[in-house]
Amino acid sequence: MSRAIYGTIEEEIRALKKERNAVIMAHNYQIGEVQDAADFTGDSLRLAQEARKTNAEVILFCGVHFMAETASILCPDKKVLVPDLEAGCSLADMIRPEDVRQWKAEHPDGLVVCYVNTSAEVKAESDYCCTSSNAEKVVRSIPEDKDVLFIPDFFLGTYVKQRTGRKNMELWRGYCPTHMLIQSRDIEKLRAGHPGAEFIMHPECGCLTKSMHLADRILSTEGMVRYVKESPAREFIVATETGVLHRMRKDNPGKNFIPASVHAVCNYMKMNTLEKIVASLENLQYEVKVPPELAQRAYLPIERMLSIV
Ligand code: 13P
């Protein structure tokens, strides 16, 4: 590929995108400059929807590995790239396909609902997939007489169980180590110091069971971005990975956003940089390709995730 001289790295990325007929998707937890370089920024659901719609030949996915796998399953004819193959997800690693098979053997009438934060192999063992945006709707869509086996996030599962009042729902005990860093006592302190602030919380928070009653809203990252725009409040305490504050601040210059914990930073999400994006587009690296047989088995639960919204 010929190298032109560019004034800025952002200009270089724009030129490379055009040359490669590529689109950049960035999750809301990416560093600010990666979000700014992206064509679409959003939560897991929105990015999967956009991946399915795009006409680009190349999808450069700036998020974590399972998101690129989902894009590869939805768009088998496209080249799906990630800037860094090491950007994984600790929550997704908390369940293996053999664990799901074992759990299903113990509950032969149960239906498996997997959170999108799972590997393609785990999705292939599942009946339904969901994101934090539509987990409640997905569970409600399952006939009452069927046991639900919810994997792998215990806190999202607890929230959905509480919202739906469903008794026959078993929860896997996985968790997101980043959301685990957000503690109830920090939230209580912040609430006391900012009595006018609204408190919004992601359902992956480890303190969800203790702090649920304090939350004004429990939302996915995209739900949060939308909510803070619409709310008349001027100040918000935000309980999720801190990357989402970039978009909130950019979209709402007159409002104040306070992270529930400054320590809630996902090191995997922060591995993607502008330099790696350039290398990725230049060298068409690193491709994430889910093998067709596996993709075929994982497709149905993902399709259900996209249709139940
Ligand atoms: P959402 O962006 O779908 O709310 O999920 C957050 C997350 O855990 C991504 O890994």
Side-chain angles (χ1 to χ4, degrees):
M1 184 169 259
S2 61
R3 294 299 308 265
I5 303 297
Y6 299 99
T8 64
I9 193 162
E10 286 83 0
E11 280 169 16
E12 188 172 8
I13 290 171
R14 274 194 292 277
L16 283 166
K17 269 198 315 183
K18 219 167 156 188
E19 210 166 318
R20 293 299 196 190
N21 188 13
V23 74
I24 300 181
M25 312 269 178
H27 187 267
N28 288 322
Y29 296 159
Q30 292 294 289
I31 59 170
E33 46 192 25
V34 167
Q35 293 190 35
D36 294 343
D39 298 280
F40 300 101
T41 304
D43 65 357
S44 317
L45 183 64
R46 168 151 196 242
L47 296 179
Q49 288 165 335
E50 295 297 345
R52 188 154 73 163
K53 275 196 284 187
T54 186
N55 290 322
E57 286 168 70
V58 173
I59 299 174
L60 176 53
F61 219 112
C62 300
V64 290
H65 195 261
F66 73 82
M67 298 180 180
E69 278 189 335
T70 306
S72 165
I73 293 164
L74 289 169
C75 317
D77 53 333
K78 301 204 188 301
K79 198 177 264 299
V80 178
L81 304 175
V82 292
D84 192 321
L85 274 174
E86 296 298 310
C89 172
S90 311
L91 171 59
D93 290 344
M94 286 185 191
I95 191 157
R96 299 163 305 173
E98 55 268 37
D99 299 323
V100 187
R101 286 194 288 272
Q102 170 74 32
W103 219 26
K104 285 200 290 193
E106 289 162 18
H107 299 266
D109 293 330
L111 291 174
V112 177
V113 178
C114 72
Y115 188 29
V116 69
N117 298 40
T118 42
S119 67
E121 283 92 345
V122 165
K123 288 187 177 79
E125 298 293 339
S126 303
D127 299 287
Y128 294 78
C129 185
C130 70
T131 70
S132 49
S133 294
N134 67 353
E136 184 183 333
K137 276 195 183 150
V138 169
V139 169
R140 282 191 195 280
S141 77
I142 297 173
E144 277 298 327
D145 60 329
K146 290 282 179 196
D147 290 349
V148 172
L149 307 178
F150 191 89
I151 58 171
D153 192 292
F154 177 76
F155 298 98
L156 175 62
T158 301
Y159 172 65
V160 172
K161 199 168 168 172
Q162 201 239 26
R163 293 279 306 170
T164 57
R166 189 156 190 139
K167 298 275 181 288
N168 55 348
M169 184 168 164
E170 302 286 324
L171 310 178
W172 194 257
R173 301 223 160 221
Y175 59 89
C176 163
T178 302
H179 281 93
M180 213 62 180
L181 297 170
I182 301 170
Q183 311 260 315
S184 289
R185 61 172 179 274
D186 299 330
I187 293 168
E188 280 158 22
K189 243 190 251 167
L190 282 170
R191 289 230 79 172
H194 300 268
E198 281 200 88
F199 170 48
I200 54 177
M201 188 176 204
H202 195 279
E204 276 181 39
C205 283
C207 63
L208 183 88
T209 41
K210 275 194 199 150
S211 304
M212 203 186 277
H213 66 285
L214 295 174
D216 292 297
R217 289 283 188 285
I218 297 173
L219 298 160
S220 75
T221 56
E222 198 63 18
M224 287 181 172
V225 168
R226 244 190 333 262
Y227 180 74
V228 299
K229 246 191 208 170
E230 287 159 10
S231 166
R234 310 304 300 163
E235 197 167 44
F236 301 84
I237 299 162
V238 184
T240 192
E241 211 273 355
T242 57
V244 76
L245 274 73
H246 174 76
R247 233 175 113 200
M248 292 176 173
R249 289 178 175 141
K250 202 169 144 186
D251 292 353
N252 308 277
K255 296 185 179 182
N256 188 28
F257 299 97
I258 306 156
S261 169
V262 290
H263 305 296
V265 176
C266 172
N267 292 326
Y268 285 130
M269 284 282 182
K270 305 309 191 221
M271 289 174 92
N272 299 322
T273 60
L274 294 184
E275 289 75 15
K276 289 181 191 173
I277 289 178
V278 169
S280 202
L281 290 171
E282 260 182 358
N283 307 318
L284 292 177
Q285 67 192 31
Y286 298 94
E287 185 166 11
V288 173
K289 180 96 192 138
V290 176
E293 187 274 332
L294 178 60
Q296 204 186 348
R297 291 198 295 128
Y299 184 80
L300 178 64
I302 295 175
E303 173 51 39
R304 286 175 165 161
M305 167 183 97
L306 292 172
S307 56
I308 307 171
V309 286

